Amino acid sequence: MRAIAIFPEEKSIKLIEHEAPHITSPTQVKLRMLEVGVCGTDKEICTFKFGAPPPDYNYLVMGHEAVGEVVEVGAGVQTLKPGDLVVPTVRRPCHDPSCRACAVARQDFCYTGAYTEYGIKAQHGYMTEFVVDDEQYMHLVPQELRGVAVLTEPLTIAEKALLQVWAMQQRLPWQMPDAPADQPGKGLKAVVLGAGPISLLGSMALIVAGFDTYVYSRSVPPHPKAELAEAIGATYISSQTTPVAAMVKQVGNIDLVYEGLGGSALPFEVMNYLGRNAIFAFTGVPAFTTSTQTTDRLMSRLVGMNQVVFGTVNAGNDAFAAAIRDLSVFTQRWPDVVQSLISKRVPMENAPDALLGKYGGIKTVVTISG
Ligand SMILES: NC(=O)c1ccc[n+]([C@@H]2O[C@H](COP(=O)([O-])OP(=O)(O)OC[C@H]3O[C@@H](n4cnc5c(N)ncnc54)[C@H](OP(=O)(O)O)[C@@H]3O)[C@@H](O)[C@H]2O)c1
Ligand SMILES: [Zn+2]
Ligand SMILES: [Zn+2]
């Protein structure tokens, strides 16, 4: 059967003949591939910067954003039947028994980095006529979505980000009851950086979730990307004509930044203006440039390793209760150490010296009475 493959060693991209797959286990499904999207990741693989053929192959079949039609199912397949429309996932688990993420089928959070990815890393992709894989990696899609189902995979980037945003914003208990259940972002402002597919699909998800959404990107209107953003109800602002400070003035308090832009310079500039209790979600994978090396590296680690960096100040009743609970644990476990944190106790007369830091040590305490 036909397939589109890259040959990293000879640095070529070709239409090739690739062996047709067959069902070899009862839980497998055979798909006739219908459509495969092309994204920045594919373009980068085609510059041979990354992307790895499966072991024993000198080529990699491309494609990870796909939709296919089920044409055959193994005897043990429960949820799919021929004729069904499906979107297959991209990442497959590592086989390291210590990987808690892959052990529970959350290879999107894989600890080892030894996962494989269709059309990207050590697994042939979907730009071919037929694919066989396990039922557990297929998502059934309603037939009426036939024309757009190929956008599912790129939309999952925003969906995963939003799921994490809501999990993290549980720390703000007032938001949840205030907003309608299907519009948890109502009353909140989101700035989307970039206006490519990742950002525009993300903007749609944010608007549906109720956010007042601003798209901040390079192209200067009139431009199809700006028109698309406005058509879904976002406000488009061009970074070419409106500097970051002016954009922030227009938006007001920013509750969420959803970055889908790629470079690190603009996102980090915008981060300076993030509002109180806000979240900044990075999805872009920047190419390293000399002038922004530090932030490029930081951003690609944040994204590629699912990291969360957060700030926190002051404490609520829950934290006070936890502190009292833990203090009693500390005094049982390390009685002397906890006591020695208080390196000096002084009477009130010596408080000025204590306040001026004259006693050194770890912690000086002023005894008021008793
Ligand atoms: N985290 C993940 O799992 C994941 C998955 C897929 C992709 N990605 C990453 O997500 C990013 C976006 O992907 P995409 O396919 O949507 O990319 P894209 O089509 O290249 O879109 C990038 C957008 O950002 C804008 N932009 C780029 N540099 C800019 C700058 N310096 N100032 C202002 N705007 C700028 C571009 O504006 P113009 O159109 O005006 O040029 C464009 O609208 C990429 O870095 C990609 O690698 C991540
Ligand atoms: Zn992609
Ligand atoms: Zn893993």
Side-chain angles (χ1 to χ4, degrees):
M1 64 177 184
R2 293 176 312 152
I4 299 293
I6 60 149
F7 290 74
E9 272 166 31
E10 56 183 69
K11 295 201 179 345
S12 64
I13 308 157
K14 291 192 272 205
L15 176 64
I16 60 162
E17 268 303 309
H18 178 61
E19 74 270 41
H22 301 285
I23 289 183
T24 54
S25 111
T27 52
Q28 283 178 336
V29 173
K30 185 173 180 180
L31 300 183
R32 180 168 70 88
M33 301 318 297
L34 298 176
E35 288 187 310
V36 179
V38 172
C39 78
T41 305
D42 298 302
K43 289 176 196 155
E44 256 185 80
I45 294 172
C46 290
T47 62
F48 312 101
K49 281 192 198 131
F50 70 98
D56 305 327
Y57 283 88
N58 64 345
Y59 64 88
L60 171 74
V61 175
M62 292 294 300
H64 58 275
E65 304 179 358
V67 54
E69 183 192 356
V70 175
V71 289
E72 193 186 334
V73 296
V77 168
Q78 308 266 335
T79 57
L80 297 172
K81 58 179 189 318
D84 281 347
L85 199 61
V86 297
V87 169
T89 62
V90 179
R91 194 179 279 190
R92 299 293 175 268
C94 73
H95 299 292
D96 189 321
S98 72
C99 184
R100 285 166 284 158
C102 291
V104 297
R106 286 308 303 260
Q107 48 270 21
D108 57 316
F109 284 112
C110 177
Y111 279 97
T112 66
Y115 54 79
T116 58
E117 287 180 330
Y118 270 58
I120 302 173
K121 184 173 179 257
Q123 296 267 14
H124 287 310
Y126 300 119
M127 244 178 232
T128 184
E129 292 177 74
F130 295 97
V131 166
V132 166
D133 204 355
D134 215 84
E135 176 186 21
Q136 65 174 306
Y137 301 124
M138 315 267 171
H139 287 269
L140 183 65
V141 178
Q143 292 289 348
E144 59 269 25
L145 293 185
R146 168 83 163 73
V148 292
V150 71
L151 297 175
T152 304
E153 196 280 338
L155 175 57
T156 60
I157 310 308
E159 300 293 357
K160 178 175 173 181
L162 262 178
L163 286 168
Q164 292 175 88
V165 164
W166 295 128
M168 289 178 230
Q169 293 305 62
Q170 300 264 348
R171 66 196 182 133
L172 312 178
W174 56 88
Q175 266 175 18
M176 303 298 167
D178 276 7
D182 61 341
Q183 285 199 305
K186 206 158 178 70
L188 300 177
K189 289 184 175 174
V191 171
V192 175
L193 302 182
I198 292 290
S199 296
L200 289 172
L201 288 165
S203 303
M204 291 181 197
L206 291 169
I207 286 169
V208 167
F211 285 93
D212 183 10
T213 303
Y214 297 76
V215 176
Y216 188 54
S217 189
R218 188 165 43 200
S219 295
V220 180
H223 189 277
K225 288 179 176 178
E227 278 157 27
L228 209 154
E230 300 273 349
I232 60 169
T235 304
Y236 184 89
I237 306 172
S238 169
S239 58
Q240 299 279 82
T241 51
T242 310
V244 172
M247 177 274 286
V248 175
K249 209 164 170 197
Q250 182 178 340
V251 174
N253 186 69
I254 303 175
D255 296 291
L256 171 68
V257 173
Y258 177 76
E259 178 279 329
L261 171 146
S264 70
L266 188 77
F268 276 88
E269 197 186 336
V270 173
M271 201 190 274
N272 280 306
Y273 294 92
L274 201 57
R276 286 184 196 275
N277 303 330
I279 288 215
F280 196 113
F282 279 105
T283 77
V285 183
F288 284 38
T289 49
T290 325
S291 60
T292 53
Q293 244 185 56
T294 309
T295 48
D296 290 345
R297 188 181 309 279
L298 196 56
M299 187 169 152
S300 61
R301 281 179 64 87
L302 277 166
V303 171
M305 299 169 90
N306 283 303
Q307 296 166 336
V308 177
V309 177
F310 73 98
T312 177
V313 66
N314 204 257
N317 292 336
D318 49 358
F320 275 88
I324 293 164
R325 211 169 46 234
D326 266 351
L327 206 50
S328 106
V329 176
F330 298 170
T331 52
Q332 279 159 35
R333 192 172 298 183
W334 310 292
D336 298 338
V337 180
V338 178
Q339 279 300 332
S340 66
L341 285 176
I342 301 169
S343 47
K344 194 161 188 68
R345 285 192 159 86
V346 297
M348 279 184 86
E349 301 78 72
N350 299 102
D353 284 346
L355 290 166
L356 292 170
K358 295 231 168 106
Y359 297 111
I362 298 172
K363 169 139 324 255
T364 303
V365 168
V366 178
T367 303
I368 310 291
S369 70

